[in-house]
Amino acid sequence: MPEPTPEKRPFSKILIVGAGPSGLLLALLLSKHGIPTHILEAASHLDPQPRAAHYGAPAIPEFYRAGIIEKMAERGGLVLGGMCWRYPQADGEEEEGKAGYEEHGIVAGFDAGQVMREVEVELDGGKKKMDLRTHCLALQELDQLMLEEVTERYGGTVAWEHRVVGVGQDDEGAWCEVEVGESKEKKVVRGDYVVGCDGANSAVRRALFGEEFPGFTWDAQIIATNTYYPFEKYGWWDANFIIHPEHFFMAAKLTSTGLYRITYGETPNLTHSQYLSRQPHKFHTILPGHPLPSDYQTINFSPYRMHQRCAPKFRVGRVLLAADAAHLCNPWGGLGITGGFVDVGGLYECLSGIWDGKADEGILEVYSEKRIEKWKTIIDPISQENFRRVSDREPGTRLERDGFLQLLKRGETDQVLLKELLMGPMEVRYDFTQHYHDAGKK
Ligand SMILES: Cc1cc2nc3c(=O)[nH]c(=O)nc-3n(C[C@H](O)[C@H](O)[C@H](O)COP(=O)(O)OP(=O)(O)OC[C@H]3O[C@@H](n4cnc5c(N)ncnc54)[C@H](O)[C@@H]3O)c2cc1C
Ligand SMILES: *[C@@H]1O[C@H](CO)[C@@H](O)[C@H](O)[C@H]1NC(C)=O
């Protein structure tokens, strides 16, 4: 089938709600393909909170597709090499040496560089060698890069201070009811499709399903910080997960200048200022070297709750959901926006397929079904297990009870097995082009 001529395109504009990572990546992929996009964003600027910073293998092909992989590196992006799980240190109550394991000793670990540095990936009808190691760049930097690409390079537009409060649709198109600026002046913005990329409290999801967002919230608290601390001095790796029921934490490299993401467990239901005042004691207890506040510098500090939730559907007619608006998981293992970026890549395949006359609207139903299936069968169970692993009641015996850690341990001397393990998460990807009209005829 020939490509439709410009005046015969099946639609003319995609409305995206939210200029967070998922909305920006979707706008970038679509506008790069020549599809007009318009983003409605409630805030007046990009979100500066310390959230995602590490993007796992399944998200990487989308960075190549968006043409930003080199620019990420230019802006200080890194790839992580070594990742390991560690035993805790004695917390003062138990005597040193009594725990039965070496304090902060490695339970299991791997260096992705050996097997993930150059992997052949099939994308957009061709094969390409990609570096599938976990990539790292603070979310606000990645957002800024994608925003510039969308608006300065591909002609996508963003309306700031446009808060979506309602969504509607008919046979002709879909629209958003918007409150603009401080005056909250009401206005209606129209497009052919509306994609809700508006995060955990999505107004688009609420317009479709009200308060219905099945799943649960963990009775646990985490604090995310960005902290300068010389972990290298203690021989620590790029990413370290420390197992403990109370003092579990993660320390992962953020920049080449000594900044780390330290995310640690805390007691639920305290106030922000209580968490702040407990932080020095917490770091003294959990970090290698038992540092005092003068030994580190914390530049961001944010308490978070964690959720496992998935919307009933990711598509109702001309209205679609992606990333946190569609599903939530805890951040241990970095499957949050990694999974969100994979949604976005899939939705891009569906919408660009319709645009090019290679697919009909029914492909959007497949998007909803397949992305929900991937969340339920992979992202939800694996992310739950990741949190249970790091917060295990008995760190000393976790390895004996943990098939994944045992396989990783075998992978330390078996590269074939290691690659198989590290490629496992790529299963969250789904190729929607197999539902194009001409699929399989080539
Ligand atoms: C501490 C922490 C660490 C994390 N680490 C990782 C990690 O390393 N790797 C990973 O993959 N994931 C991680 N995550 C998860 C990741 O941050 C989220 O999955 C991601 O930010 C979701 O992106 P999003 O675009 O879906 O939504 P958001 O980032 O929430 O963006 C939504 C945007 O929509 C806007 N908006 C909201 N409502 C409206 C409205 N009504 N109208 C218009 N605009 C609206 C908001 O202002 C915002 O700009 C982490 C999360 C936390 C809390
Ligand atoms: C925190 O508060 C919630 C809601 O009130 C409650 O269900 C939970 O048990 C509390 N958790 C702890 C550890 O106190």
Side-chain angles (χ1 to χ4, degrees):
M1 210 195 298
E3 270 203 14
T5 51
E7 58 277 14
K8 291 220 181 108
R9 291 291 185 190
F11 61 87
S12 59
K13 186 165 71 185
I14 307 288
L15 272 187
I16 297 168
V17 184
S22 62
L24 288 165
L25 180 68
L26 182 62
L28 176 50
L29 292 173
L30 292 173
S31 62
K32 186 165 180 267
H33 192 86
I35 302 173
T37 60
H38 184 56
I39 300 182
L40 302 168
E41 166 57 52
S44 59
H45 50 78
L46 297 173
D47 178 11
Q49 294 296 313
R51 299 178 70 190
H54 300 99
Y55 316 103
I60 310 298
E62 303 310 327
F63 297 148
Y64 280 89
R65 194 179 230 170
I68 56 173
I69 200 88
E70 276 144 25
K71 292 180 182 118
M72 288 170 69
E74 284 162 20
R75 295 192 183 203
L78 303 172
V79 281
L80 294 192
M83 198 176 286
C84 64
W85 282 260
R86 292 177 185 273
Y87 294 108
Q89 39 188 21
D91 58 12
E93 282 151 39
E94 40 193 282
E95 268 173 65
E96 221 168 301
K98 265 199 168 174
Y101 47 80
E102 184 199 343
E103 291 191 18
H104 280 164
I106 290 171
V107 183
F110 61 87
D111 185 346
Q114 301 152 20
V115 294
M116 298 293 273
R117 191 191 297 270
E118 272 203 331
V119 182
E120 205 168 73
V121 178
E122 229 182 287
L123 194 70
D124 298 329
K127 284 194 170 136
K128 198 175 162 67
K129 284 229 156 96
M130 298 186 187
D131 185 343
L132 292 185
R133 286 177 288 177
T134 293
H135 280 54
C136 162
L137 181 65
L139 193 60
Q140 57 269 41
E141 307 280 341
L142 179 60
D143 283 353
Q144 180 62 36
L145 167 60
M146 294 194 289
L147 176 66
E148 286 169 23
E149 293 283 298
V150 168
T151 57
E152 292 168 20
R153 188 155 175 187
Y154 297 114
T157 50
V158 182
W160 302 99
E161 296 188 74
H162 278 55
R163 177 175 297 280
V164 171
V165 292
V167 176
Q169 59 178 312
D170 59 20
D171 292 345
E172 305 287 299
W175 59 86
C176 293
E177 293 155 30
V178 179
E179 290 178 357
V180 184
E182 274 177 29
S183 68
K184 298 194 175 171
E185 190 195 326
K186 291 250 200 285
K187 134 171 158 186
V188 171
V189 183
R190 298 190 143 268
D192 298 273
Y193 296 93
V194 169
V195 187
C197 292
D198 49 345
N201 296 312
S202 172
V204 178
R205 189 189 64 241
R206 283 172 204 275
L208 297 177
F209 304 111
E211 294 307 303
E212 192 184 357
F213 196 15
F216 67 91
T217 297
W218 296 87
D219 188 20
Q221 179 73 46
I222 56 166
I223 314 286
T225 78
N226 292 350
T227 300
Y228 286 99
Y229 188 61
F231 283 99
E232 307 86 53
K233 216 170 92 181
Y234 300 94
W236 279 39
W237 295 15
D238 285 355
N240 309 267
F241 294 93
I242 293 69
I243 305 172
H244 191 274
E246 185 189 348
H247 297 310
F248 60 88
F249 72 102
M250 169 188 101
K253 208 178 214 176
L254 275 184
T255 67
S256 56
T257 56
L259 189 63
Y260 280 77
R261 166 62 49 82
I262 303 178
T263 301
Y264 59 95
E266 255 286 15
T267 307
N269 302 341
L270 305 182
T271 63
H272 191 277
S273 62
Q274 283 173 311
Y275 288 130
L276 257 184
S277 67
R278 289 161 62 98
Q279 190 240 357
H281 177 69
K282 199 78 192 184
F283 275 17
H284 183 74
T285 309
I286 67 177
L287 296 188
H290 297 290
L292 299 170
S294 55
D295 299 322
Y296 54 82
Q297 192 193 355
T298 297
I299 59 170
N300 291 93
F301 179 93
S302 266
Y304 288 102
R305 295 311 293 265
M306 302 182 291
H307 318 269
Q308 306 290 137
R309 294 183 187 277
C310 185
K313 294 197 75 188
F314 296 177
R315 179 227 181 187
V316 176
R318 292 170 171 275
V319 181
L320 297 136
L321 297 173
D324 277 21
H327 49 76
L328 298 174
C329 70
N330 75 78
W332 300 89
L335 282 170
I337 194 57
T338 297
F341 284 153
V342 174
D343 288 348
V344 164
L347 189 51
Y348 160 75
E349 289 172 356
C350 296
L351 290 170
S352 64
I354 299 173
W355 174 262
D356 292 337
K358 292 177 180 165
D360 53 48
E361 235 189 18
I363 200 170
L364 298 174
E365 201 53 30
V366 185
Y367 163 78
S368 176
E369 276 166 27
K370 294 296 173 189
R371 291 318 316 159
I372 288 175
E373 187 184 305
K374 294 291 188 183
W375 189 86
K376 290 198 165 151
T377 58
I378 305 175
I379 294 180
D380 184 38
I382 290 190
S383 62
Q384 286 202 35
E385 194 53 23
N386 286 342
F387 179 58
R388 295 210 171 90
R389 173 173 300 116
V390 79
S391 60
D392 194 86
R393 291 189 167 284
E394 239 185 86
T397 61
R398 177 75 204 190
L399 181 59
E400 294 161 26
R401 293 173 280 117
D402 192 324
F404 170 74
L405 287 178
Q406 288 165 14
L407 282 172
L408 260 192
K409 201 131 192 87
R410 277 176 46 203
E412 286 169 9
T413 51
D414 180 345
Q415 298 284 292
V416 178
L417 173 65
L418 179 62
K419 180 157 184 186
E420 217 177 284
L421 279 174
L422 299 185
M423 287 297 282
M426 288 297 274
E427 284 297 309
V428 309
R429 296 183 60 80
Y430 183 87
D431 180 4
F432 289 92
T433 67
Q434 65 190 285
H435 300 282
Y436 285 1
H437 301 312
D438 65 352
K441 288 187 198 142
K442 271 173 257 168

